[in-house]
Amino acid sequence: MKSLNLKVSRHFSLLLFNRTHSSSSQTSQLNKPQIQKTFFKSNTKDALISRLCNDGKFKEAIDILCHQKRLSEAVQLLHHIDKPSASIYSTLLQLCLHQRALAQGKLVHAHTRASGFVPGMFICNRLIGMYAKCGSIVDAQMVFDEMPERDLCSWNTMISGYAKVGQLAEARKLFDEMPQRDNFSWTAVISGYVRHDRPKDALWLYRMMQRSENSKSNKFTVSSVLAASAAIQSLRMGKEIHGYIMRTGLDSDEVVWSALSDMYGKCGSIEEARRIFDKMVNRDIVTWTAMIDRYFEDGKKEEGFSLFSELMKSGIRPNEFTFAGVLNACAQHAAENLGKQVHGYMTRIGFDPLSFAASALVHMYSKCGNIENANKVFNEMPCPDVVSWTSLIAGHAQNGQPNEALQLFKLLLDSGTKPDHITFVGVLSACTHAGLVDKGLEYFHSIKAKHGLTHTADHYSCVVDLLARAGRFEEAKNIINEMPMKPDKYLWASLIGGCRIHGNLTLAKRAADALFEIEPENPTTYITLANIYATAGMWGEVTEVRKMMDKRGLIKKPGLSWIEIKREVHFFLVGDTSHPRYDEIHHYLHELSKRMKEEGYVPDTNFVLHDVEEEQKEQNLSYHSEKLAVAFGIISTPPGTPIKVFKNLRTCVDCHTAIKFVSKIANRKIIVRDSNRFHCFEGGICSCRDYW
Ligand code: ZN
Ligand code: ZN
């Protein structure tokens, strides 16, 4: 048997290798299957190679090793050949290029020199390509410089090598020097410009290309310049390229369609992007995901969600990017029902618990205030990433469970996961909600001292929030004065919020002035300041603030609340009487208000901006949108059903107090998600513990 095996021709042995390596299940067409069987039983592949080596058939051995991608062994064998042929060098260099093996590539190159091999144009181009791909553009340039003669491929490989690593001046210099250019030369420089954030240069060169006679854009050129138009948001340029694509028949390629759709989307013409998307024949999941994300980025959540459900019907399998995009949109819009559907779908088709779609699920449930489900998904993750930990910590903090949040943070540290700066935002806000001022300060200092992270503007806002709510204004002032960056609007908003609670007029004025400078158009600052003055009975100042608002043409954003009942969303505005069941709502609110007063409720009228009579103020309060929505929720659901209401603004102090009473009187769990956080009212208490 052995002698038979030895006689196996090289061609035959390679054929055998090809068969065993290809994963195809087709049955062997070899007419001597029994030889193949024995051959592999009694010999390892290495035995064949050593036998070939013994026979002095190094070239054959190298071929086999290259085929098995065993580069370094193949390169070693090279030293046993006196005069290797160009084809051996070529094969080896190609493998070095594919494996990005610079060290081995250098060995091969050195061998060509040592063996006295004179490389022709083809091998030189291979060397340049290998060096450029392996990231040693200096060596590539050296080979290029030593070449007695160069062809278009030599120039193009050098240029695209420089363009890819961002040495655009060098790429451009060669481009300008080269004796003749083809599409590839132009496209290499243009796409280099696009990839390295120089879209204007890319478009300028594209114009030159169009004027030059013998170059025609290909699909890579047009995709690149479409990306450049998108980067500078030049719809005009993008449309022009679109016209060119249609005229030259480049529109048969999916890559071009995707680039077109992307350009329209980024230039703000999302309808056109969708039209292109609809025309595409072979839409893959990347294209779908891009289109869906485009809607979400543009704030068009209905369109985004509806395209996602079309995708689910299309039979194309979403990937984790698709899920993450949709789940993040659900999180942002607190669309928990849809998020649950997405979760169900993910479970049905199976998703990787290690993927970031899983952490997007935790994030979605946390943001929607469903901590139970967030926990459930989290617990099923084999090794949760820092994003999931952070979402869950923030979720607990936001949903009135600050101690659980801090407990989780301890577990995170124990697990060896490194917290990031966003994790600390969650930790600090948990301390704020729990009123743990000193503990919070300790965490704040540990960010730098213990965890080696730098304090971000968000950390400063959190710590100022923490101190201001507790009325520790001196410390807050010290921190503001010592922070390395300019305080941002969130910090000042936190400070003015604390001033509102403690009636600190001086500091409120300072915060308001800073806010007027940063965002003069935001009515919230004016209203908060006016409310602080109103609480202090300083009606003259209230009028001043109102005059400032009028002068700048600012209108208080009307409060808007909504509630979903049986898949239908009902909206309520302040003092809204338009709802078909308004009479019932009004009647119920009237009854409630009587019961509430019996229970000890005193309307808090401080937060009504206008200087009006007490009774009228009270009247205004009872019409606040969140009260209307809560009342409607109670009368249209069976007893005991939890009520979930959303509000576009922060809930006011009076509504907050009132809803606490309502939760007790009506014996309902009432969740209010305002612009700031979740409030979970139950049995007369709110989960925020009156910190919001
Ligand atoms: Zn209110
Ligand atoms: Zn609350």
Side-chain angles (χ1 to χ4, degrees):
M1 250 335 183
K2 266 188 180 175
S3 60
L4 180 65
N5 284 339
L6 275 172
K7 279 175 198 155
V8 171
S9 71
R10 175 184 160 262
H11 175 74
F12 190 29
S13 62
L14 272 182
L15 205 61
L16 288 177
F17 274 112
N18 284 335
R19 295 240 162 253
T20 46
H21 273 274
S22 70
S23 54
S24 71
S25 57
Q26 52 174 284
T27 48
S28 173
Q29 296 295 308
L30 292 173
N31 50 7
K32 287 177 185 169
Q34 75 278 21
I35 292 180
Q36 184 193 21
K37 224 172 160 185
T38 344
F39 181 81
F40 281 109
K41 225 181 242 169
S42 57
N43 297 284
T44 63
K45 288 161 195 171
D46 287 352
L48 169 68
I49 287 158
S50 67
R51 207 167 294 124
L52 285 170
C53 290
N54 285 339
D55 289 356
K57 292 178 173 169
F58 293 106
K59 188 181 171 346
E60 285 80 353
I62 291 177
D63 273 337
I64 294 170
L65 286 169
C66 282
H67 186 81
Q68 295 178 351
K69 313 243 182 302
R70 291 158 70 179
L71 176 61
S72 60
E73 291 160 83
V75 173
Q76 262 169 16
L77 278 193
L78 192 56
H79 296 286
H80 295 280
I81 308 179
D82 279 345
K83 292 250 174 281
S85 63
S87 87
I88 292 191
Y89 284 132
S90 164
T91 311
L92 284 170
L93 287 172
Q94 198 60 8
L95 190 57
C96 293
L97 180 147
H98 283 308
Q99 299 193 356
R100 305 285 187 272
L102 180 62
Q104 300 297 338
K106 281 190 170 177
L107 283 177
V108 177
H109 188 192
H111 195 272
T112 60
R113 290 199 167 125
S115 69
F117 175 82
V118 183
M121 191 115 69
F122 180 74
I123 293 294
C124 282
N125 288 346
R126 272 272 149 99
L127 276 167
I128 295 176
M130 182 274 294
Y131 278 128
K133 268 270 152 59
C134 294
S136 182
I137 198 85
V138 182
D139 286 306
Q141 180 74 56
M142 212 130 69
V143 176
F144 183 79
D145 288 341
E146 283 169 7
M147 286 173 83
E149 245 187 303
R150 299 164 190 136
D151 65 0
L152 224 121
C153 174
S154 331
W155 287 93
N156 283 346
T157 316
M158 262 331 287
I159 290 172
S160 76
Y162 276 122
K164 282 207 173 100
V165 295
Q167 296 194 28
L168 296 166
E170 282 79 1
R172 187 56 193 271
K173 191 168 163 279
L174 285 175
F175 176 82
D176 289 338
E177 279 170 10
M178 68 194 294
Q180 54 169 18
R181 306 176 184 115
D182 64 358
N183 308 339
F184 190 90
S185 335
W186 287 94
T187 307
V189 185
I190 290 174
S191 66
Y193 280 136
V194 175
R195 210 170 310 145
H196 293 94
D197 274 341
R198 287 170 61 178
K200 282 187 183 151
D201 291 316
L203 291 172
W204 193 80
L205 198 64
Y206 173 68
R207 285 245 183 268
M208 274 180 60
M209 178 182 187
Q210 287 199 303
R211 265 183 241 130
S212 83
E213 278 165 21
N214 45 11
S215 350
K216 238 183 88 208
S217 302
N218 57 28
K219 62 177 182 175
F220 299 109
T221 332
V222 292
S223 306
S224 281
V225 284
L226 282 171
S229 315
I232 58 165
Q233 303 202 323
S234 169
L235 189 59
R236 195 182 49 81
M237 188 68 204
K239 278 187 174 161
E240 195 186 310
I241 300 163
H242 188 177
Y244 175 84
I245 290 168
M246 300 310 284
R247 283 198 304 280
T248 50
L250 281 167
D251 56 334
S252 60
D253 192 275
E254 291 299 308
V255 176
V256 175
W257 281 105
S258 293
L260 259 177
S261 180
D262 205 46
M263 180 279 294
Y264 279 116
K266 291 208 172 106
C267 290
S269 189
I270 197 153
E271 288 81 17
E272 193 59 32
R274 177 59 188 269
R275 245 194 301 281
I276 305 270
F277 173 85
D278 286 339
K279 276 191 210 155
M280 291 169 76
V281 188
N282 296 310
R283 290 176 298 200
D284 61 5
I285 189 55
V286 179
T287 312
W288 277 92
T289 307
M291 190 65 223
I292 294 169
D293 285 348
R294 224 168 269 144
Y295 276 129
F296 290 138
E297 273 162 30
D298 220 44
K300 293 191 162 61
K301 62 171 171 145
E302 267 86 30
E303 286 88 342
F305 289 140
S306 106
L307 191 59
F308 177 73
S309 56
E310 254 181 66
L311 166 67
M312 298 216 281
K313 281 177 225 144
S314 76
I316 292 171
R317 194 188 161 99
N319 63 23
E320 58 176 328
F321 295 96
T322 327
F323 288 133
V326 177
L327 288 171
N328 283 333
C330 292
Q332 206 186 334
H333 300 285
E336 192 190 340
N337 283 339
L338 194 78
K340 268 187 190 156
Q341 282 175 37
V342 176
H343 186 187
Y345 183 76
M346 285 167 75
T347 312
R348 277 201 300 286
I349 71 162
F351 70 100
D352 182 2
L354 284 167
S355 75
F356 59 75
S359 51
L361 265 178
V362 177
H363 180 68
M364 182 276 293
Y365 279 124
S366 300
K367 275 275 176 191
C368 292
N370 190 334
I371 287 295
E372 240 168 74
N373 279 8
N375 267 325
K376 219 181 282 168
V377 178
F378 182 84
N379 289 332
E380 280 162 16
M381 294 173 80
C383 40
D385 57 357
V386 68
V387 177
S388 316
W389 281 103
T390 303
S391 303
L392 203 58
I393 290 171
H396 277 294
Q398 289 261 298
N399 288 282
Q401 301 171 332
N403 298 321
E404 285 83 346
L406 297 176
Q407 186 59 36
L408 259 175
F409 180 65
K410 278 204 193 83
L411 289 175
L412 171 147
L413 293 180
D414 290 344
S415 78
T417 311
K418 240 183 105 51
D420 64 9
H421 63 276
I422 306 168
T423 319
F424 281 103
V425 174
V427 170
L428 291 173
S429 83
C431 293
T432 306
H433 291 130
L436 296 166
V437 186
D438 292 314
K439 190 95 191 128
L441 280 173
E442 204 180 290
Y443 281 124
F444 176 74
H445 293 300
S446 82
I447 294 174
K448 209 168 176 175
K450 206 164 135 195
H451 298 281
L453 297 164
T454 40
H455 285 132
T456 64
D458 288 338
H459 297 152
Y460 282 106
S461 301
C462 284
V463 81
V464 165
D465 195 20
L466 179 75
L467 291 166
R469 279 169 199 267
R472 287 161 67 165
F473 291 109
E474 277 308 308
E475 288 161 85
K477 264 200 298 199
N478 288 340
I479 284 193
I480 294 172
N481 292 338
E482 280 162 24
M483 63 191 276
M485 68 280 270
K486 223 178 154 212
D488 62 8
K489 59 179 182 181
Y490 301 105
L491 184 142
W492 292 121
S494 300
L495 186 64
I496 203 170
C499 294
R500 194 196 66 193
I501 299 169
H502 297 280
N504 186 330
L505 286 169
T506 332
L507 216 48
K509 185 81 180 53
R510 180 177 162 195
D513 283 340
L515 281 168
F516 290 151
E517 205 167 293
I518 298 171
E519 39 171 21
E521 310 293 306
N522 186 349
T524 317
T525 316
Y526 299 85
I527 291 158
T528 312
L529 187 63
N531 275 330
I532 295 171
Y533 284 136
T535 311
M538 299 161 74
W539 299 110
E541 278 77 2
V542 174
T543 317
E544 283 304 308
V545 178
R546 288 236 38 125
K547 272 189 197 151
M548 270 170 80
M549 280 183 84
D550 289 344
K551 216 169 82 191
R552 293 189 175 155
L554 302 176
I555 309 156
K556 185 179 173 182
K557 214 164 140 191
L560 178 71
S561 296
W562 61 97
I563 181 168
E564 191 182 323
I565 304 277
K566 287 181 193 140
R567 289 179 176 267
E568 197 188 329
V569 183
H570 300 257
F571 291 94
F572 296 90
L573 277 161
V574 202
D576 194 350
T577 56
S578 65
H579 195 272
R581 291 178 67 187
Y582 178 73
D583 287 343
E584 284 171 74
I585 297 167
H586 184 76
H587 179 73
Y588 181 67
L589 272 175
H590 189 70
E591 288 299 307
L592 258 183
S593 135
K594 271 197 279 182
R595 291 273 316 271
M596 277 156 63
K597 278 183 185 158
E598 283 165 23
E599 295 270 340
Y601 162 74
V602 182
D604 182 345
T605 51
N606 281 335
F607 288 87
V608 183
L609 191 52
H610 306 280
D611 180 14
V612 286
E613 294 297 314
E614 285 296 317
E615 200 179 332
Q616 197 189 332
K617 278 198 242 176
E618 204 180 308
Q619 185 88 72
N620 280 349
L621 287 173
S622 59
Y623 290 108
H624 273 183
S625 63
E626 59 267 54
K627 278 187 191 159
L628 291 169
V630 167
F632 174 68
I634 295 174
I635 60 169
S636 40
T637 52
T641 315
I643 308 286
K644 198 166 186 178
V645 166
F646 295 85
K647 193 187 176 190
N648 65 336
L649 306 173
R650 225 179 235 236
T651 178
C652 83
V653 173
D654 179 68
C655 286
H656 194 263
T657 313
I659 296 171
K660 281 199 277 189
F661 278 96
V662 176
S663 74
K664 196 173 160 202
I665 294 164
N667 195 19
R668 295 281 186 114
K669 182 175 172 179
I670 303 170
I671 297 161
V672 177
R673 185 196 148 123
D674 67 8
S675 60
N676 222 33
R677 58 163 298 134
F678 277 94
H679 300 270
C680 181
F681 301 90
E682 213 168 0
I685 303 165
C686 179
S687 63
C688 76
R689 292 165 210 200
D690 299 336
Y691 268 107
W692 81 88

